[in-house]
Structures are given as structure tokens and as C-alpha cells.
Amino acid sequence: MTASAVLKAWEACDLTDTVFVLVCTVFCWPIIPAVGLAYSGYSHRRNGMASFMPSLLVISVCSIQWFIIGYSFAYGDGSGVIGDFKYAFHRGVLSDPVGTIPAILFSEFQLVFEATVCAIAVGGACERGRALPLIPFIFLWSSFIYCPLAHMVWSETGFLANLGVLDFAGGTPVHICSGATASALSIYLSYPLFRSRKSDKRTPSHLALHRPGNSMSQLIALVIIWNAWLAFDAGTTLSLNFKSVMALCVTNLCASAAALTWACMAYFETGKWSLDSTFMGAISGLVMITPSAGFIDMPTAFFFGIGGAVVCRQALRIKFTKFAARWRWVDNGDTFAIHCVGGILATISTGLFARKEVAAYDGATVIDGGVFFDGNVKQVGIQLLEAIIGITWSFAGSYIIFALIDCIPGLEVLAKDDDIVSGMDVAEMEESFHEYHEGDYHPFKNGSILLE
């Protein structure tokens, strides 16, 4: 396109909406490394840096993948399942309006969604998965797992979108997808099929449970994620209107209700307050509100938070059972309990409690509503179908991609036994969040200053 054509298209965009989404994009971006920081906090201190590093790989690989083919697969015309090559290499994605904002800004905002989901998903490999195989996994997973789901739910040609599914900011493409993917990676590492299984230096096994290794990392991650998720949901309106304000408010209330509920449950069980419990509660609330932020009112959001915390906390108990140890079930960062179980609950609950009058707060959206407020019983079936497709597509597809990568020499996905025992920071990283003991190091030669 010529400069004049670009500028003419730019003039058709709404400046206020563009600035709003631009600011939301900037505020949302820190979610991606903050997820890595959260996994670092969950992990044993010997694995802290190695658990953080995948989030940086995600930022780089997803940005490249989204530029090459991701945006086109997610938002190109294509079929009802996946887009075409119309926007490959961002061809023609410049200032033409998508709604009231430039296409390139819409693309960048949606890239943050993909990278956030991927950062959560690869946490399934924490503390025993190697970083190198994650690079091709991220690219392939983004292209063939996330992008088709995003296309099905949010694209104009997506078949779930045309069925009338209600998924405001990603109950299925974000949370069910990330939780199911993390579970697939974790199960494969416990029961590898190819090179990781045949290696005499690798023993697939259950990991001993431990307390979070770095509470400060968890604290910083919580502050960033909670703050950024407000922009995540508010920005999903793609324009500045009352619905944006409402989405932000219900998001904060739901997270607050869930954080307090989970923290109090932990306190009444143990007699002590817990940052980890408060963290998990807040995240469960953010999970619950994601698909419904544009469809429910404040009282409903409050009860969503309480319900999400109770259900997710019960799901979390699974990993502490003898059954989990016997079957090598490792739920790194509690991704299955929070994102997968919480995402399923949130998706179905949206169909039950969505209100068409709330959806219309932007002056444009028209829906049939949910069961309890608008009598739309069929909405539950549509939401259930979305959840089933999301968990099946994500789990099976991720497992297959991870297994195929494990077939390639040098890309064995499971770390060696010695590396897991010594800690993945020592095995895979040059740095650690914690001090290395460097033997007889002294800042001055022979312990004295030499002037020559």
C-alpha cells in the first residue's frame, strides 16, 4: 500500500479507541513474563530461572509465528475451523480499520492473547522438561492448536462463533486450552513414548511435592497479572465505552472475591494466612471472569469468584493424593486445577448467567442471553460443546506435537535424571535467581590489590 492509502485508512480509525486499545496492549504485555515469574515462584529454588526462561522463549517465538502465519490462521477467512493464508507475513495488515482501530493494532493485541496462553501452557514442562524442544513446540502449537481454537471462537467465519458461543475473552481459547496443554505435556513427561523413554539416562517418574521456592516471585507475578488482566478484559471490547468500564469492574470484583475465599479457606484449615493461597484464589477468579466479563453484572461476578475458588481448590487436592503419586500426576503451577477445571466451569457458567442487557452496554452487541436471566436454555449446550472441543483439541493435539518432537535426536523433551536432581538451573542455565557458590572466588587476585 502507498503511504497515502495507509494514511487515508488511518483517518477512518477512531483516535480515542485506538489510544485505548494501544494502552491496554502495553498493560497486557507484562502478563507473559509474569506467568514465567509465577512458575519460577512455584518451582523449587534450584529450578527457578529455568522455569522462568520459557516465558521469554514464548514472547520471541510467538511474535515471529504470529507475524508469519498465526494472525492469518486465527483471523483469515478460511473455513469454520482455521483461517487461510490471506494475511501471511502480515500482508496488508496496516491501518485498515478492524472495527474502529487499525488492523496492525488489533493484531498486536491478539498476539498478547496467544503468547499469554502459550506461557501458561508450557508450564507443564517445568522442573523436568528441557527448554530447547520448547522452541519448535511453541511454533507448532501456536499454529495448529491455539490459532484454530481462536478462529473457531472469535473469527467471523468460525463455526463456534456462528453457533452463538459466548466467550468474551477466552474461557476456552485461553484457559481450557492452556490447562489441557499443560496437562498433556506433564503426562507425556511421565509416560514418554519415544527417545525420552528409550534413553538409559532418563527415568520418567513422579516429582516430589514441595512448597513454592520463591514467594517474592509469586508476589510480583500476582501484582502484575491482576493489574494487567483488568486491561486484558477491558481492552477486549476494542473500543472505549461503558462495557469496557464494566468489564474492568467485574474482573476486579471476581478476582477479589476468589482471592479472599481461597485465603480464608486456607486460614480456617491451617490457622495461618498464605500468599500462595491468595495467589491461587485470585487467579481462579480471573479464570472465572474471562469468558463472561462482557456478559454478567457485578453481583453475578461476586458469586462467580466464590464458586470458582471453591471448585478449583477442591480440584487442586487431586495432586496431593496417593493416586496422583502412583500415576505420576504432576500439576506444575496447578494449571490443570485452576485453568482447565476453572475454564470449563467458567465457560458453562457463562451460558447459565449471561445477560443480553449487559452485553448491549457497548451499544452494538446483541445476544440471546443465558438460561437464568433470559431463558435461553440452548446456550448451555453451545457452551458445553465449546468446552469439549477445546479440551479435546488442546490435549490431543499438544500430546501429539510433543511426542513428534521427542522423536528427533537432540530434542528429547525429558531432562536427564542427573539434571533433574541437580536442578534445571545448573543443567540448562548460566544464571540463577539464587546465589551460586563459586569456590575460592575473590574479587582481588590473591586477596590483595596489585598496582602495576
Side-chain angles (χ1 to χ4, degrees), residues 315-375:
L316 183 63
R317 297 181 188 276
I318 297 173
K319 77 173 188 178
F320 296 100
T321 62
K322 293 181 179 179
F323 172 85
R326 184 166 59 250
W327 291 97
R328 308 177 198 165
W329 171 251
V330 179
D331 188 11
N332 293 97
D334 306 319
T335 312
F336 172 78
I338 304 299
H339 292 278
C340 193
V341 173
I344 293 171
L345 177 63
T347 297
I348 296 173
S349 297
T350 300
L352 292 172
F353 296 98
R355 304 183 67 165
K356 57 185 177 183
E357 64 183 49
V358 175
Y361 282 169
D362 60 358
T365 303
V366 177
I367 65 171
D368 293 330
V371 175
F372 291 113
F373 293 108
D374 298 306

Side-chain angles (χ1 to χ4, degrees), residues 8 191 222 228 250 288 300 336:
K8 184 176 181 180
Y191 297 95
L222 173 59
V250 296
M288 280 298 297
T300 307
F336 172 78

Side-chain angles (χ1 to χ4, degrees), residues 435-442:
E435 181 182 1
Y436 277 129
H437 297 287
E438 299 186 83
D440 59 355
Y441 167 77
H442 193 283

Side-chain angles (χ1 to χ4, degrees), residues 11-23:
E11 291 174 358
C13 297
D14 184 279
L15 184 59
T16 301
D17 293 344
T18 299
V19 171
F20 172 67
V21 177
L22 181 65
V23 171

